Amino acid sequence: MHSRFRRTGALVATGAALFTALAVQAGGSAGAQPILDRQPIDKVLGQPTQGKTALTAVKPRLAELAERNGLAEQKLLGILATDKAAWLDRDGRLFYKEPAATKAEKASEPAPRWAKQAVVAATGPAFQLNSKPGSNRVIYLDFDGHTITGTAWNTNGKPATVNVGAYDTDGNPGVFSTAEQDVVRAVWQRVAEDYSPFDVNVTTQAPAESAITRSGSSDLQYGTRVLIDPGTWYQSGCGCGGVAYVGVYDNSSNHAYYQPALVFTKGVGTGAKNIAEAASHEAGHNVGLSHDGTSSQGYYTGHNAWAPIMGVGYSKAITQWSNGEYSNANNKEDDYGVVGSNGLALRADDHGDGTANATALTLGTTVNGVYATGPDVDVFRIDVSAGTFTFAANSAPVGGNLDIKLELLNSSGAVIATADPASGQTNSATPTGLSASINRQVAAGRYYLRVDNAGYGNPLNTGYSTYGSRGAYSVRVTAG
């Protein structure tokens, strides 16, 4: 027993000497990094690895991986250490596997009825929707199926080619029923509203592949595909609601490899509200955003009628971009700033901000606008005869993000009336109090409408600030 111990000790000593010799050989001195730390990351990880486990393996190389992912080192450390949905692929790129919605969250809300007849394949009005045609950036909501090959999703034992079928709820994937088209349209409206402050075209109309894939740093036309997957290909293995890589939207090399982002209807349900929340969330990861949670929740579920888009907003009618103003927030990143540094700039201002450059209105005619930046304010002018009029500013009709404060000004620019109703929700899909209107008897003359954004309640626990209160709106003046 004693001699066996001596032999073991000798082997340990020999092994230590050998390790030291190898380190000297590799790095030139006994203090150099071990050879293991100099291996390619794919040899260190070997396969996609959940964040906390991955952190143990790669912590000595965290600075390198943070740079690879475009994140601060401490930011990546926090994500891997605390976010159970965070993973590193074998190359050290960060992606997320989102948990599936609960049974209660999957309850489908009724979709408005727009479509009048079924259509074959990806044709018809449901697939010709564009929020900002002509933009050099695109978020393509793909409902009609896609072949995934040559991507990160085809590695590590996954099939080399995966054919994802079309969105389908009635067992007839070759034809889009009126109900299915209604869902497509409502999802598009909601995602388009979430991204309305940015210079990007959210579309259901298949763009050329060159409009999605970035070929190099000089290619200024690119985007992402968010694939709505009704099958069980990846979802059957992860049991998740969606998957997406982080910060890959504007990659100038290997862009297509990290496409698409996926939303699984088997994980989130087939209703428009949930699909849209998941689609905006997964696209958010592509443009660099992390999860909004708390010290005890990976995903903040919100309060009252509000939730952050990068949390989970299935049960809240008002979901907005956030900078972590709610109580116990674990993520204080400026969503607009992060998205801007990952390829999506804010829209240019579309209306004047004072009486001198106010946009002209005509009685009974609707004019559209987008409130895109924090200090923005949009002003409109109208000349009316004496009488009673309704001056209205309406938030987006589906999935509105902008809470409007409306002011009516006289010809001198003095405020004579203000409307800013309290916000809330009728149900998880229907917000209340975002729009504002003023009904008033006025003398003949010129009047101005000033559209500003508003918050509601206390952003800590009852409402939200003006930070995420941005989005599309329309203004209209009518008699009576």
Side-chain angles (χ1 to χ4, degrees), residues 294-317:
T294 69
S295 61
S296 59
Q297 288 181 297
Y299 301 75
Y300 186 52
T301 56
H303 47 254
N304 288 351
W306 180 89
I309 293 169
M310 297 311 295
V312 57
Y314 298 138
S315 65
K316 306 301 183 185

Side-chain angles (χ1 to χ4, degrees), residues 356-441:
N357 58 353
T359 299
L361 294 176
T362 302
L363 191 66
T365 300
T366 299
V367 173
N368 297 315
V370 175
Y371 193 103
T373 63
D376 191 20
V377 60
D378 292 341
V379 180
F380 302 84
R381 73 173 190 270
I382 188 168
D383 297 315
V384 297
S385 57
T388 300
F389 298 89
T390 297
F391 305 87
N394 294 313
S395 192
V398 177
N401 290 17
L402 174 64
D403 186 348
I404 295 171
K405 175 185 176 182
L406 178 65
E407 294 176 318
L408 179 64
L409 287 62
N410 64 19
S411 59
S412 300
V415 176
I416 59 175
T418 300
D420 181 14
S423 66
Q425 65 180 52
T426 301
N427 53 49
S428 63
T430 311
T432 58
L434 298 184
S435 300
S437 64
I438 298 167
N439 184 263
R440 188 178 178 93
Q441 184 176 3

Side-chain angles (χ1 to χ4, degrees), residues 121-169:
T123 60
F127 299 94
Q128 298 172 6
L129 303 171
N130 293 274
S131 66
K132 199 175 187 296
S135 174
N136 280 330
R137 304 290 185 270
V138 67
I139 295 173
Y140 172 38
L141 303 176
D142 187 349
F143 284 86
D144 66 328
H146 180 64
T147 298
I148 304 175
T149 187
T151 78
W153 308 121
N154 302 107
T155 61
N156 297 293
K158 299 295 190 298
T161 300
V162 177
N163 295 308
V164 176
Y167 171 76
D168 176 55
T169 58

Side-chain angles (χ1 to χ4, degrees), residues 231-323:
T232 60
W233 161 60
Y234 198 93
Q235 200 274 340
S236 62
C238 71
C240 48
V243 292
Y245 274 88
V246 179
V248 297
Y249 188 86
D250 62 345
N251 268 18
S252 57
S253 63
N254 220 15
H255 184 277
Y257 185 73
Y258 299 105
Q259 293 283 320
L262 292 110
V263 171
F264 304 113
T265 60
K266 286 187 177 293
V268 305
T270 58
K273 164 68 169 170
N274 282 17
I275 293 175
E277 292 294 341
S280 288
H281 183 110
E282 301 311 327
H285 285 316
N286 279 180
V287 290
L289 296 176
S290 305
H291 284 148
D292 289 336
T294 69
S295 61
S296 59
Q297 288 181 297
Y299 301 75
Y300 186 52
T301 56
H303 47 254
N304 288 351
W306 180 89
I309 293 169
M310 297 311 295
V312 57
Y314 298 138
S315 65
K316 306 301 183 185
I318 303 170
T319 55
Q320 299 173 335
W321 302 114
S322 170
N323 63 350

